[in-house]
Amino acid sequence: MPETFILIPGRTSRQGTTLNEGKYTDDYKDETNTLIASGDDMRRLGIADGDLVRMWNEVGSVVLPCKSASAGEMPSGLLFISYGPTSCHLMKAETHGSGMPDSKGMDVFLERVATG
Amino acid sequence: MSVAEQTQESTLPSLTIVKDAACTFCGCVCDDMELTVENNRITKAKNACVLGKAWFLNHHIDDRPDATIKGQPVSYEEAIEYAADILLNARNPVTYGLSDTTCEAQRVAVAITDWVGGTVDTTTSVCHGPSGMAFQGVGEVTATLGEIKNRADCVIYWGGNPAESHPRHFTRYSLTPKGQFLPNGRKDRYAVLIDVRKTKSAKAMDEFIQIKPRCDFELIWAMRALAKGVEVGPEIEQKTGVPLAQLQALVDRMKTAKFGVILFGMGLTMTRGKHMNTEAVLSLARDLNKFTRWTAKPMRGHGNVTGADNVVSWSTGYPFGVNLSRGYPRFNPGEYTTSDLLLRGEADAAMIIASDPMSNFCQQARDHFVRIPTIVLDPKLSESAKVATVAFTTATYGINVAGTAYRMDDVPIYLRPAFQSKYRSDYEILKAIETRIRERQLAAS
């Protein structure tokens, strides 16, 4: 049974700099298509640094590499990804009367797919 | 260009120094850039942060047609006529984007939307739109970044990571600079980060408070209670992850500060609770004014998203998501916001200025976007420009185009361009569309 996590997309320095280099550059795609998880969660799920994982919810599904967060950065149960096309692929349409879709704090499932 | 100094003869490769240029990549709009321009490339960007350097040094002018219709190059005049056709024939067109263009262009975009009875919305609706709703709900105790620099001895960053998203905010405005009433700069300030993730910003703080996801509202409400002397139970730790004693100590410190500010990010607006979260923060700042001086400001992202709020507000009375179809403005987020208009299939045409909904919107909204006639103005061949019915290649504001942008604290900054682009500005194109629409409307009447 895959575990549920809370996904937080957000800005990073590299996301900002590579955005200026171009949305179609390898660096931008790499930055916005890499998942960051806590070391504890990765060990528990048998995910090594760079392994491919599948992350999905009722909106969509993505397969991407997973890397370990720095020590103390992320609590267990939380995932982080640089804001971009991949995170938007999982974004729900509902705005709850605000105009703003739930772009942070998305419920997602996660499982290991393959060695990176 | 009055601010530029030509340092060599025109027969030699051109070298221009542009002083006091403004960086429009993020909402800080730092206006102390010194740009070195060689042969239409910016080769140095003195004073720029890592994001600003990437913004300036990577800037180049694409070699694309001035305009296309359905992907085929056409004359500028044909494209203007076709764009006017689209907007005049639509029953419910939406104008969207606007956060990466000048206020002068934003003003014309609002006017066009008014002439054709459409909806004008900006990227605020998927950024700090909930904050805009909260301002209307409970008001805003505000301050400029200058006041924060000179006075704020207690600074709380909530749900944001300025070290990476606004790299010079700490050093130019809110944390390390010496101020009129803070002669020792950083030593005179107490700084706190409240976030679900221990980001790089945490290293610059005196205190980091790690909150459980989706518990911002509960934590803020508990702080409001503590500030008013209402008892809060120790179970607040189980709910939010923050021990009561730590929370009490923070509130006590806030009440005894001389001037405090809460700088909040999209960790509040993009997550569950949205405008309720920001209403709570604004209310907390308001409450604390019974004891001392407190303010709250959103950390705005795009270079002129604050200008978009200002221009749409002083044009229509509302900051975003404004429908003008009845001849007077109606504001209703969730109904007149672009993501909703597209995903419900209500918009029958769209004009996008300097934004890329095909990259950032939900799939249902994207699906509808490609079904309707669209006009896209963008310096780059974005995903939205690729599928646009009419696409205009534009000059980049701030680098190639002069004008006005508003800093995140609602202070207008004049933009000094580094060099000219061969493409037209958003303002020129929008003005031409507006002119053509009015000519045809007047002829028809």
Side-chain angles (χ1 to χ4, degrees):
Chain A
M1 184 70 183
E3 283 195 37
T4 57
F5 288 82
I6 295 175
L7 175 66
I8 309 278
R11 304 280 183 199
T12 66
S13 286
R14 188 164 178 248
Q15 186 256 0
T17 55
T18 56
L19 175 66
N20 284 306
E21 291 162 11
K23 283 184 176 177
Y24 306 108
T25 60
D26 290 342
D27 284 349
Y28 180 76
K29 291 176 188 170
D30 176 68
E31 176 62 18
T32 57
N33 196 48
T34 301
L35 188 67
I36 307 295
S38 80
D40 287 346
D41 286 339
M42 289 178 67
R43 275 187 293 279
R44 197 179 64 257
L45 296 175
I47 302 168
D49 226 33
D51 278 0
L52 290 177
V53 295
R54 187 166 79 95
M55 179 169 61
W56 74 99
N57 59 10
E58 65 268 42
V59 180
S61 173
V62 293
V63 174
L64 71 174
C66 181
K67 291 187 175 172
S68 177
S70 56
E73 179 190 347
M74 304 259 289
S76 184
L78 203 66
L79 301 171
F80 177 80
I81 188 169
S82 286
Y83 182 71
T86 303
S87 67
C88 292
H89 193 70
L90 300 175
M91 190 171 68
K92 290 180 191 172
E94 177 59 52
T95 73
H96 306 286
S98 71
M100 164 69 81
D102 289 334
S103 304
K104 290 182 187 283
M106 307 174 194
D107 290 314
V108 295
F109 296 100
L110 184 73
E111 66 180 9
R112 182 178 173 278
V113 172
T115 303
Chain B
M1 197 184 312
S2 61
V3 292
E5 302 165 10
Q6 287 292 333
T7 55
Q8 295 192 16
E9 294 295 326
S10 58
T11 53
L12 298 173
S14 72
L15 173 64
T16 308
I17 307 295
V18 183
K19 295 180 177 174
D20 300 325
C23 172
T24 50
F25 181 71
C26 88
C28 287
V29 196
C30 297
D31 57 349
D32 59 345
M33 301 292 120
E34 185 174 308
L35 305 177
T36 301
V37 185
E38 298 176 74
N39 299 319
N40 284 356
R41 291 289 300 213
I42 298 170
T43 54
K44 290 180 189 166
K46 188 179 172 187
N47 295 330
C49 68
V50 61
L51 298 178
K53 279 193 166 56
W55 166 248
F56 286 118
L57 303 185
N58 285 297
H59 176 71
H60 62 278
I61 296 174
D62 285 353
D63 189 16
R64 291 168 50 206
D66 276 349
T68 58
I69 294 176
K70 297 175 183 171
Q72 298 304 309
V74 295
S75 71
Y76 173 68
E77 291 73 19
E78 281 179 88
I80 292 292
E81 193 68 32
Y82 207 104
D85 272 346
I86 289 173
L87 293 170
L88 285 166
N89 290 328
R91 295 185 64 194
N92 193 17
V94 59
T95 302
Y96 176 75
L98 296 170
S99 58
D100 277 324
T101 191
T102 61
C103 291
E104 290 77 3
Q106 291 162 352
R107 184 181 182 186
V108 182
V110 176
I112 291 172
T113 315
D114 197 11
W115 291 126
V116 299
T119 296
V120 61
D121 187 33
T122 76
T123 62
T124 281
S125 66
V126 293
C127 169
H128 269 286
S131 304
M133 295 167 69
F135 295 151
Q136 302 221 348
V138 298
E140 179 190 21
V141 187
T142 186
T144 65
L145 291 172
E147 286 177 280
I148 291 165
K149 172 188 171 184
N150 285 303
R151 296 175 184 275
D153 60 346
C154 188
V155 185
I156 296 179
Y157 303 91
W158 197 314
N161 180 14
E164 296 199 72
S165 60
H166 302 83
R168 291 186 82 202
H169 205 282
F170 287 163
T171 55
R172 193 153 195 250
Y173 304 115
S174 60
L175 196 59
T176 59
K178 294 177 180 175
Q180 188 176 357
F181 302 103
L182 304 162
N184 302 307
R186 178 68 184 87
K187 291 177 186 170
D188 287 338
R189 301 181 206 265
Y190 191 79
V192 182
L193 174 68
I194 301 175
D195 205 347
V196 296
R197 199 165 58 95
K198 193 173 185 180
T199 61
K200 290 178 180 171
S201 297
K203 291 177 186 167
M205 301 292 124
D206 296 297
E207 184 178 357
F208 170 61
I209 296 176
Q210 193 155 26
I211 181 177
K212 287 183 181 177
R214 302 167 177 165
C215 292
D216 300 272
F217 181 87
E218 288 83 349
L219 192 71
I220 302 164
W221 224 248
M223 291 171 74
R224 291 191 70 197
L226 290 172
K228 291 185 175 182
V230 176
E231 189 177 342
V232 174
E235 62 274 11
I236 190 70
E237 180 174 0
Q238 189 182 7
K239 177 65 188 170
T240 64
V242 184
L244 179 58
Q246 186 179 16
L247 204 56
Q248 183 69 64
L250 176 61
V251 171
D252 290 345
R253 186 180 284 274
M254 292 168 79
K255 289 169 74 172
T256 55
K258 289 179 181 167
F259 186 109
V261 59
I262 304 171
L263 296 161
F264 56 96
M266 291 190 289
L268 291 183
T269 63
M270 281 186 167
T271 196
R272 194 168 66 190
K274 295 174 185 167
H275 58 286
M276 297 302 291
N277 297 332
T278 44
E279 279 193 9
V281 158
L282 297 170
S283 299
L284 174 62
R286 186 187 61 194
D287 292 351
L288 287 163
N289 278 278
K290 289 183 179 171
F291 307 98
T292 182
R293 175 70 174 151
W294 269 84
T295 60
K297 288 298 293 179
M299 298 286 284
R300 302 308 306 272
H302 288 281
N304 198 24
V305 69
T306 306
D309 286 3
N310 276 273
V311 171
V312 178
S313 290
W314 56 246
S315 301
T316 72
Y318 304 105
F320 64 96
V322 185
N323 180 269
L324 297 160
S325 64
R326 289 194 182 171
Y328 55 87
R330 292 182 294 166
F331 172 60
N332 196 10
E335 183 177 10
Y336 303 133
T337 32
T338 308
S339 180
D340 303 275
L341 283 169
L342 291 174
L343 77 91
R344 286 198 302 262
E346 292 175 359
D348 62 351
M351 180 166 70
I352 310 297
I353 299 107
S355 181
D356 191 10
M358 281 300 290
S359 287
N360 303 323
F361 275 18
C362 66
Q363 191 59 49
Q364 296 98 312
R366 293 184 225 181
D367 290 344
H368 186 67
F369 187 83
V370 298
R371 284 196 291 264
I372 60 175
T374 51
I375 305 155
V376 172
L377 283 67
D378 204 299
K380 304 292 178 191
L381 186 59
S382 65
E383 291 297 304
S384 303
K386 284 179 185 174
V387 301
T389 313
V390 182
F392 293 95
T393 308
T394 60
T396 301
Y397 86 128
I399 293 180
N400 307 126
V401 179
T404 310
Y406 277 64
R407 206 168 62 185
M408 66 167 74
D409 57 346
D410 303 287
V411 171
I413 307 277
Y414 188 71
L415 306 177
R416 294 172 168 81
F419 60 94
Q420 296 295 312
S421 167
K422 62 183 176 181
Y423 298 110
R424 293 173 179 83
S425 67
D426 293 322
Y427 173 84
E428 289 175 275
I429 296 166
L430 291 168
K431 199 69 191 168
I433 294 172
E434 184 197 15
T435 301
R436 193 66 195 114
I437 284 171
R438 287 304 292 151
E439 285 170 354
R440 289 173 58 173
Q441 285 179 329
L442 291 169
S445 65

